[in-house]
Amino acid sequence: MNLESFWFMAKATVQSSSFHAQISSARTIHGPITIKNKKCFCNRSWTAVKLIDLLFDFKAVMEILNEEQLTAIETLLPDLYPQSLQVYGYIFQKNRVKSDHMDVLVDRWPDFRIVLIRPLREKKEDLFKDIYVFSKDGEILKKLFLETDIIDWQNYLCLGVDLCYAEIVASIAATRGATGSNVAVCHMLRLEDPSHLPQVDSSTVAISSLEESHISLVNETWKFGEGEHSLSFIKNLICHFPTCCILDANGHPVAWILTYAYCAMGMLYTRPEHRRKGYAKILISAMSKRLHAQGYPVFCFIEEENQPSYRLFTSLGFKEDPSYRAAWFHFN
């Protein structure tokens, strides 16, 4: 029985016990399916009996946005800043750069309440990529986590959410048997107009972009680097998104900054022997102007305990909305 036939039959005879008996031995369905002309994702195998519930109640189904919808949602999310800025960044990149393979899912369209960014996990190193969730309502988010398997709680998982939902995430993880902890709580700092950046003298340094040969160097110095497991993650950033570095006399990078797949600047680093030369300010200023010129939102995340970086970015005009902080969790 194909799905369209099943939908027609279910709609007409959902109360029929003989119908349930007829379909109880039907094959299970897993992965992308189409229900009512909507591409959805079932993250577990469901019998046709289970699909009856899905056809009449979409609580357990998230819709994967197509290209037209992705273009549309990019125009809607700025009205929901700062909470929506990270998912906006993912979608901004996805609409322009075909690098990371990811699905953007919503609970309903166009009146979405939840947007979930989920990278496709095709290789072992893909486990390193974050899943991020934006939600307008904590109860709806809780229902999503409880009533669906849209997130795999059994394997390694890095999950990013608004800090206000941290207790919900911790509770659901415990219910699902996932072990882990809160890894980082971050300020989100934005720069709306780079033309107001303070003047920074970069005339004495050589500014360039990182190259593929620099992947190992960045990986070794990144706080969250995981050896070979994070190499492909960093390679993707260097090969597909804006980077900026300062070179020494031999053409070797001594300071650098990258752009994450969600548009935020990050991985700012200066080699110890080259610190206190103002390189970080030069890089932030150069990268901010470049991102802004290309239409990117200009923002970054700073861990709560990293006060030197917080002072550095705010001294350059970056501002924080006190109503929002981001949290990341690692499980399993």
Side-chain angles (χ1 to χ4, degrees):
M1 178 190 305
N2 64 40
L3 198 58
E4 292 302 321
S5 298
F6 171 75
W7 160 242
F8 178 82
M9 196 171 183
K11 185 176 180 180
T13 60
V14 68
Q15 300 299 325
S16 167
S17 59
S18 62
F19 173 67
H20 278 274
Q22 178 184 348
I23 68 171
S24 62
S25 60
R27 290 184 304 170
T28 58
I29 296 177
H30 179 80
I33 60 173
T34 300
I35 298 177
K36 295 185 182 177
N37 298 317
K38 294 184 177 182
K39 186 181 180 184
C40 306
F41 191 91
C42 302
N43 199 35
R44 59 185 172 188
S45 294
W46 278 309
T47 63
V49 174
K50 178 63 179 178
L51 275 170
I52 291 176
D53 296 330
L54 301 184
L55 291 165
F56 289 92
D57 183 354
F58 272 26
K59 289 185 298 184
V61 176
M62 292 284 283
E63 179 180 349
I64 300 174
L65 298 187
N66 59 35
E67 289 188 8
E68 182 180 348
Q69 291 168 325
L70 287 169
T71 300
I73 200 171
E74 185 180 321
T75 67
L76 301 174
L77 287 170
D79 291 336
L80 303 169
Y81 284 175
Q83 288 79 6
S84 67
L85 182 51
Q86 190 167 5
V87 294
Y88 171 87
Y90 275 115
I91 293 167
F92 178 94
Q93 296 279 34
K94 183 175 176 65
N95 285 340
R96 291 160 179 80
V97 181
K98 306 306 179 185
S99 61
D100 270 349
H101 300 291
M102 68 177 72
D103 286 330
V104 179
L105 302 100
V106 296
D107 62 321
R108 61 188 189 187
W109 180 260
D111 301 317
F112 60 88
R113 298 163 298 180
I114 293 175
V115 182
L116 186 144
I117 307 295
R118 186 181 57 194
L120 302 185
R121 294 183 165 180
E122 300 166 332
K123 304 181 295 294
K124 184 177 180 180
E125 52 265 33
D126 289 342
L127 294 173
F128 198 81
K129 298 174 183 176
D130 298 353
I131 293 175
Y132 195 83
V133 182
F134 160 75
S135 178
K136 297 179 181 180
D137 186 289
E139 286 304 310
I140 295 172
L141 181 65
K142 185 176 181 180
K143 187 180 289 283
L144 171 74
F145 285 163
L146 279 175
E147 296 184 1
T148 78
D149 288 329
I150 201 70
I151 290 178
D152 180 1
W153 296 92
Q154 304 309 309
N155 290 308
Y156 173 77
L157 168 67
C158 183
L159 177 65
V161 295
D162 189 326
L163 179 61
C164 70
Y165 301 134
E167 289 187 9
I168 291 175
V169 171
S171 173
I172 300 300
T175 301
R176 293 297 191 119
T179 59
S181 63
N182 185 307
V183 175
V185 175
C186 297
H187 306 277
M188 186 175 73
L189 301 177
R190 295 175 61 199
L191 183 68
E192 295 194 14
D193 188 357
S195 67
H196 295 155
L197 281 163
Q199 289 296 318
V200 177
D201 182 12
S202 60
S203 60
T204 60
V205 299
I207 301 177
S208 185
S209 297
L210 291 169
E211 299 177 358
E212 198 166 341
S213 60
H214 303 139
I215 293 170
S216 294
L217 175 65
V218 175
N219 191 47
E220 291 165 5
T221 56
W222 185 35
K223 176 180 178 180
F224 297 107
E226 293 286 347
E228 63 180 15
H229 299 297
S230 51
L231 280 173
S232 63
F233 175 80
I234 292 174
K235 178 181 179 180
N236 182 58
L237 301 186
I238 289 177
C239 292
H240 294 103
F241 306 118
T243 67
C244 192
C245 66
I246 293 175
L247 305 176
D248 65 12
N250 297 314
H252 300 140
V254 296
W256 52 82
I257 190 168
L258 286 75
T259 308
Y260 287 109
Y262 47 86
C263 292
M265 292 187 286
M267 297 192 194
L268 176 64
Y269 185 83
T270 301
R271 296 183 73 86
E273 64 271 23
H274 292 275
R275 292 174 184 170
R276 301 190 181 279
K277 297 180 180 180
Y279 287 175
K281 284 187 176 182
I282 292 172
L283 290 172
I284 295 168
S285 179
M287 181 67 94
S288 297
K289 293 174 182 177
R290 180 179 175 187
L291 292 174
H292 183 72
Q294 295 180 14
Y296 285 73
V298 182
F299 70 107
C300 65
F301 288 101
I302 305 293
E303 291 176 84
E304 280 188 325
E305 61 271 22
N306 191 350
Q307 286 303 303
S309 288
Y310 185 90
R311 291 192 295 269
L312 170 62
F313 277 88
T314 54
S315 74
L316 292 172
F318 284 72
K319 299 186 184 303
E320 177 184 18
D321 186 325
S323 70
Y324 174 77
R325 287 193 186 177
W328 277 265
F329 292 82
H330 280 186
F331 297 110
N332 308 316

